[in-house]
Amino acid sequence: MSMGLSQKFNILQQSPHDLMPPETVPPPEEEGAGRWISSRYTVRATTEDGRLVLWNSYNGALSVIRQESRESVEALLTKKGFAARPLGMVKYLRDKGFLVKEGTDE
């Protein structure tokens, strides 16, 4: 659905995970977990009030993360990667395209 120029669009919409308490570190490695890295198309910016704006320039996904969750989300968006099951914030970031499986040819 096209937004068109006549409709207002709130770029600072909240993520559904804004209601969850922030995770302090990336999830520990678990059996059956995949390895995840930040998508090369993930662009980050910080608002004046400290929220994290994520934009995937490939698929157009946009999310705004509250200031309290910013540090934990940034810890997940690394090129070093981490192992975790796709649950909670990891699943959300993967579904939006901000995280991809390690080794993915983007």
mmCIF file with all atom_site columns, all heavy atoms in Angstrom, residues 14-28:
data_model
loop_
_atom_site.group_PDB
_atom_site.id
_atom_site.type_symbol
_atom_site.label_atom_id
_atom_site.label_alt_id
_atom_site.label_comp_id
_atom_site.label_asym_id
_atom_site.label_entity_id
_atom_site.label_seq_id
_atom_site.pdbx_PDB_ins_code
_atom_site.Cartn_x
_atom_site.Cartn_y
_atom_site.Cartn_z
_atom_site.occupancy
_atom_site.B_iso_or_equiv
_atom_site.pdbx_formal_charge
_atom_site.auth_seq_id
_atom_site.auth_comp_id
_atom_site.auth_asym_id
_atom_site.auth_atom_id
_atom_site.pdbx_PDB_model_num
ATOM 1   N N   . GLN A 1 14 ? 6.494  3.330   17.412 1.00 0.00 ? 14 GLN A N   1
ATOM 2   C CA  . GLN A 1 14 ? 7.142  2.484   18.397 1.00 0.00 ? 14 GLN A CA  1
ATOM 3   C C   . GLN A 1 14 ? 7.154  1.032   17.961 1.00 0.00 ? 14 GLN A C   1
ATOM 4   O O   . GLN A 1 14 ? 6.254  0.569   17.295 1.00 0.00 ? 14 GLN A O   1
ATOM 5   C CB  . GLN A 1 14 ? 6.437  2.585   19.740 1.00 0.00 ? 14 GLN A CB  1
ATOM 6   C CG  . GLN A 1 14 ? 6.642  3.931   20.401 1.00 0.00 ? 14 GLN A CG  1
ATOM 7   C CD  . GLN A 1 14 ? 6.051  3.950   21.784 1.00 0.00 ? 14 GLN A CD  1
ATOM 8   O OE1 . GLN A 1 14 ? 5.016  3.356   22.021 1.00 0.00 ? 14 GLN A OE1 1
ATOM 9   N NE2 . GLN A 1 14 ? 6.708  4.621   22.689 1.00 0.00 ? 14 GLN A NE2 1
ATOM 10  N N   . SER A 1 15 ? 8.200  0.360   18.377 1.00 0.00 ? 15 SER A N   1
ATOM 11  C CA  . SER A 1 15 ? 8.313  -1.066  18.152 1.00 0.00 ? 15 SER A CA  1
ATOM 12  C C   . SER A 1 15 ? 7.400  -1.799  19.129 1.00 0.00 ? 15 SER A C   1
ATOM 13  O O   . SER A 1 15 ? 7.205  -1.343  20.252 1.00 0.00 ? 15 SER A O   1
ATOM 14  C CB  . SER A 1 15 ? 9.768  -1.486  18.395 1.00 0.00 ? 15 SER A CB  1
ATOM 15  O OG  . SER A 1 15 ? 9.853  -2.864  18.636 1.00 0.00 ? 15 SER A OG  1
ATOM 16  N N   . PRO A 1 16 ? 6.868  -2.956  18.765 1.00 0.00 ? 16 PRO A N   1
ATOM 17  C CA  . PRO A 1 16 ? 6.071  -3.729  19.726 1.00 0.00 ? 16 PRO A CA  1
ATOM 18  C C   . PRO A 1 16 ? 6.906  -4.185  20.914 1.00 0.00 ? 16 PRO A C   1
ATOM 19  O O   . PRO A 1 16 ? 6.381  -4.486  21.974 1.00 0.00 ? 16 PRO A O   1
ATOM 20  C CB  . PRO A 1 16 ? 5.573  -4.923  18.920 1.00 0.00 ? 16 PRO A CB  1
ATOM 21  C CG  . PRO A 1 16 ? 6.178  -4.837  17.589 1.00 0.00 ? 16 PRO A CG  1
ATOM 22  C CD  . PRO A 1 16 ? 6.883  -3.556  17.443 1.00 0.00 ? 16 PRO A CD  1
ATOM 23  N N   . HIS A 1 17 ? 8.212  -4.189  20.767 1.00 0.00 ? 17 HIS A N   1
ATOM 24  C CA  . HIS A 1 17 ? 9.078  -4.608  21.871 1.00 0.00 ? 17 HIS A CA  1
ATOM 25  C C   . HIS A 1 17 ? 9.358  -3.482  22.840 1.00 0.00 ? 17 HIS A C   1
ATOM 26  O O   . HIS A 1 17 ? 10.062 -3.673  23.822 1.00 0.00 ? 17 HIS A O   1
ATOM 27  C CB  . HIS A 1 17 ? 10.381 -5.193  21.327 1.00 0.00 ? 17 HIS A CB  1
ATOM 28  C CG  . HIS A 1 17 ? 10.171 -6.542  20.734 1.00 0.00 ? 17 HIS A CG  1
ATOM 29  N ND1 . HIS A 1 17 ? 10.105 -7.683  21.486 1.00 0.00 ? 17 HIS A ND1 1
ATOM 30  C CD2 . HIS A 1 17 ? 9.967  -6.923  19.465 1.00 0.00 ? 17 HIS A CD2 1
ATOM 31  C CE1 . HIS A 1 17 ? 9.887  -8.720  20.708 1.00 0.00 ? 17 HIS A CE1 1
ATOM 32  N NE2 . HIS A 1 17 ? 9.791  -8.279  19.469 1.00 0.00 ? 17 HIS A NE2 1
ATOM 33  N N   . ASP A 1 18 ? 8.821  -2.289  22.608 1.00 0.00 ? 18 ASP A N   1
ATOM 34  C CA  . ASP A 1 18 ? 8.996  -1.189  23.541 1.00 0.00 ? 18 ASP A CA  1
ATOM 35  C C   . ASP A 1 18 ? 8.335  -1.479  24.881 1.00 0.00 ? 18 ASP A C   1
ATOM 36  O O   . ASP A 1 18 ? 8.674  -0.861  25.881 1.00 0.00 ? 18 ASP A O   1
ATOM 37  C CB  . ASP A 1 18 ? 8.424  0.109   22.971 1.00 0.00 ? 18 ASP A CB  1
ATOM 38  C CG  . ASP A 1 18 ? 9.349  0.727   21.948 1.00 0.00 ? 18 ASP A CG  1
ATOM 39  O OD1 . ASP A 1 18 ? 10.506 0.289   21.854 1.00 0.00 ? 18 ASP A OD1 1
ATOM 40  O OD2 . ASP A 1 18 ? 8.914  1.658   21.254 1.00 0.00 ? 18 ASP A OD2 1
ATOM 41  N N   . LEU A 1 19 ? 7.388  -2.394  24.913 1.00 0.00 ? 19 LEU A N   1
ATOM 42  C CA  . LEU A 1 19 ? 6.690  -2.709  26.149 1.00 0.00 ? 19 LEU A CA  1
ATOM 43  C C   . LEU A 1 19 ? 7.403  -3.781  26.966 1.00 0.00 ? 19 LEU A C   1
ATOM 44  O O   . LEU A 1 19 ? 7.027  -4.049  28.092 1.00 0.00 ? 19 LEU A O   1
ATOM 45  C CB  . LEU A 1 19 ? 5.262  -3.165  25.832 1.00 0.00 ? 19 LEU A CB  1
ATOM 46  C CG  . LEU A 1 19 ? 4.420  -2.159  25.041 1.00 0.00 ? 19 LEU A CG  1
ATOM 47  C CD1 . LEU A 1 19 ? 3.061  -2.755  24.714 1.00 0.00 ? 19 LEU A CD1 1
ATOM 48  C CD2 . LEU A 1 19 ? 4.274  -0.861  25.810 1.00 0.00 ? 19 LEU A CD2 1
ATOM 49  N N   . MET A 1 20 ? 8.440  -4.385  26.400 1.00 0.00 ? 20 MET A N   1
ATOM 50  C CA  . MET A 1 20 ? 9.182  -5.440  27.088 1.00 0.00 ? 20 MET A CA  1
ATOM 51  C C   . MET A 1 20 ? 10.405 -4.854  27.772 1.00 0.00 ? 20 MET A C   1
ATOM 52  O O   . MET A 1 20 ? 10.998 -3.904  27.267 1.00 0.00 ? 20 MET A O   1
ATOM 53  C CB  . MET A 1 20 ? 9.634  -6.509  26.088 1.00 0.00 ? 20 MET A CB  1
ATOM 54  C CG  . MET A 1 20 ? 8.497  -7.229  25.406 1.00 0.00 ? 20 MET A CG  1
ATOM 55  S SD  . MET A 1 20 ? 9.059  -8.360  24.126 1.00 0.00 ? 20 MET A SD  1
ATOM 56  C CE  . MET A 1 20 ? 10.272 -9.327  24.983 1.00 0.00 ? 20 MET A CE  1
ATOM 57  N N   . PRO A 1 21 ? 10.819 -5.395  28.925 1.00 0.00 ? 21 PRO A N   1
ATOM 58  C CA  . PRO A 1 21 ? 12.053 -4.908  29.545 1.00 0.00 ? 21 PRO A CA  1
ATOM 59  C C   . PRO A 1 21 ? 13.246 -5.257  28.656 1.00 0.00 ? 21 PRO A C   1
ATOM 60  O O   . PRO A 1 21 ? 13.256 -6.289  27.985 1.00 0.00 ? 21 PRO A O   1
ATOM 61  C CB  . PRO A 1 21 ? 12.115 -5.677  30.871 1.00 0.00 ? 21 PRO A CB  1
ATOM 62  C CG  . PRO A 1 21 ? 11.239 -6.861  30.683 1.00 0.00 ? 21 PRO A CG  1
ATOM 63  C CD  . PRO A 1 21 ? 10.200 -6.471  29.666 1.00 0.00 ? 21 PRO A CD  1
ATOM 64  N N   . PRO A 1 22 ? 14.268 -4.401  28.624 1.00 0.00 ? 22 PRO A N   1
ATOM 65  C CA  . PRO A 1 22 ? 15.409 -4.653  27.748 1.00 0.00 ? 22 PRO A CA  1
ATOM 66  C C   . PRO A 1 22 ? 16.245 -5.838  28.218 1.00 0.00 ? 22 PRO A C   1
ATOM 67  O O   . PRO A 1 22 ? 16.363 -6.091  29.412 1.00 0.00 ? 22 PRO A O   1
ATOM 68  C CB  . PRO A 1 22 ? 16.213 -3.356  27.831 1.00 0.00 ? 22 PRO A CB  1
ATOM 69  C CG  . PRO A 1 22 ? 15.825 -2.751  29.133 1.00 0.00 ? 22 PRO A CG  1
ATOM 70  C CD  . PRO A 1 22 ? 14.402 -3.169  29.384 1.00 0.00 ? 22 PRO A CD  1
ATOM 71  N N   . GLU A 1 23 ? 16.815 -6.559  27.262 1.00 0.00 ? 23 GLU A N   1
ATOM 72  C CA  . GLU A 1 23 ? 17.783 -7.597  27.577 1.00 0.00 ? 23 GLU A CA  1
ATOM 73  C C   . GLU A 1 23 ? 19.118 -6.898  27.756 1.00 0.00 ? 23 GLU A C   1
ATOM 74  O O   . GLU A 1 23 ? 19.439 -5.964  27.035 1.00 0.00 ? 23 GLU A O   1
ATOM 75  C CB  . GLU A 1 23 ? 17.868 -8.610  26.434 1.00 0.00 ? 23 GLU A CB  1
ATOM 76  C CG  . GLU A 1 23 ? 16.571 -9.331  26.177 1.00 0.00 ? 23 GLU A CG  1
ATOM 77  C CD  . GLU A 1 23 ? 16.646 -10.221 24.946 1.00 0.00 ? 23 GLU A CD  1
ATOM 78  O OE1 . GLU A 1 23 ? 17.755 -10.532 24.485 1.00 0.00 ? 23 GLU A OE1 1
ATOM 79  O OE2 . GLU A 1 23 ? 15.592 -10.592 24.445 1.00 0.00 ? 23 GLU A OE2 1
ATOM 80  N N   . THR A 1 24 ? 19.934 -7.337  28.691 1.00 0.00 ? 24 THR A N   1
ATOM 81  C CA  . THR A 1 24 ? 21.181 -6.620  28.959 1.00 0.00 ? 24 THR A CA  1
ATOM 82  C C   . THR A 1 24 ? 22.345 -7.119  28.117 1.00 0.00 ? 24 THR A C   1
ATOM 83  O O   . THR A 1 24 ? 23.281 -6.375  27.876 1.00 0.00 ? 24 THR A O   1
ATOM 84  C CB  . THR A 1 24 ? 21.554 -6.731  30.446 1.00 0.00 ? 24 THR A CB  1
ATOM 85  O OG1 . THR A 1 24 ? 21.605 -8.112  30.799 1.00 0.00 ? 24 THR A OG1 1
ATOM 86  C CG2 . THR A 1 24 ? 20.533 -6.020  31.306 1.00 0.00 ? 24 THR A CG2 1
ATOM 87  N N   . VAL A 1 25 ? 22.324 -8.358  27.683 1.00 0.00 ? 25 VAL A N   1
ATOM 88  C CA  . VAL A 1 25 ? 23.397 -8.912  26.860 1.00 0.00 ? 25 VAL A CA  1
ATOM 89  C C   . VAL A 1 25 ? 22.793 -9.815  25.807 1.00 0.00 ? 25 VAL A C   1
ATOM 90  O O   . VAL A 1 25 ? 21.661 -10.276 25.940 1.00 0.00 ? 25 VAL A O   1
ATOM 91  C CB  . VAL A 1 25 ? 24.400 -9.743  27.711 1.00 0.00 ? 25 VAL A CB  1
ATOM 92  C CG1 . VAL A 1 25 ? 25.130 -8.872  28.700 1.00 0.00 ? 25 VAL A CG1 1
ATOM 93  C CG2 . VAL A 1 25 ? 23.701 -10.871 28.437 1.00 0.00 ? 25 VAL A CG2 1
ATOM 94  N N   . PRO A 1 26 ? 23.536 -10.104 24.730 1.00 0.00 ? 26 PRO A N   1
ATOM 95  C CA  . PRO A 1 26 ? 23.011 -11.052 23.751 1.00 0.00 ? 26 PRO A CA  1
ATOM 96  C C   . PRO A 1 26 ? 22.706 -12.392 24.406 1.00 0.00 ? 26 PRO A C   1
ATOM 97  O O   . PRO A 1 26 ? 23.368 -12.786 25.368 1.00 0.00 ? 26 PRO A O   1
ATOM 98  C CB  . PRO A 1 26 ? 24.155 -11.192 22.742 1.00 0.00 ? 26 PRO A CB  1
ATOM 99  C CG  . PRO A 1 26 ? 24.940 -9.949  22.898 1.00 0.00 ? 26 PRO A CG  1
ATOM 100 C CD  . PRO A 1 26 ? 24.816 -9.558  24.343 1.00 0.00 ? 26 PRO A CD  1
ATOM 101 N N   . PRO A 1 27 ? 21.694 -13.096 23.922 1.00 0.00 ? 27 PRO A N   1
ATOM 102 C CA  . PRO A 1 27 ? 21.329 -14.368 24.523 1.00 0.00 ? 27 PRO A CA  1
ATOM 103 C C   . PRO A 1 27 ? 22.488 -15.368 24.460 1.00 0.00 ? 27 PRO A C   1
ATOM 104 O O   . PRO A 1 27 ? 23.286 -15.328 23.529 1.00 0.00 ? 27 PRO A O   1
ATOM 105 C CB  . PRO A 1 27 ? 20.160 -14.863 23.668 1.00 0.00 ? 27 PRO A CB  1
ATOM 106 C CG  . PRO A 1 27 ? 19.820 -13.777 22.740 1.00 0.00 ? 27 PRO A CG  1
ATOM 107 C CD  . PRO A 1 27 ? 20.874 -12.740 22.787 1.00 0.00 ? 27 PRO A CD  1
ATOM 108 N N   . PRO A 1 28 ? 22.586 -16.238 25.461 1.00 0.00 ? 28 PRO A N   1
ATOM 109 C CA  . PRO A 1 28 ? 23.658 -17.232 25.439 1.00 0.00 ? 28 PRO A CA  1
ATOM 110 C C   . PRO A 1 28 ? 23.464 -18.234 24.310 1.00 0.00 ? 28 PRO A C   1
ATOM 111 O O   . PRO A 1 28 ? 22.355 -18.432 23.829 1.00 0.00 ? 28 PRO A O   1
ATOM 112 C CB  . PRO A 1 28 ? 23.538 -17.926 26.804 1.00 0.00 ? 28 PRO A CB  1
ATOM 113 C CG  . PRO A 1 28 ? 22.116 -17.707 27.205 1.00 0.00 ? 28 PRO A CG  1
ATOM 114 C CD  . PRO A 1 28 ? 21.704 -16.396 26.608 1.00 0.00 ? 28 PRO A CD  1
#
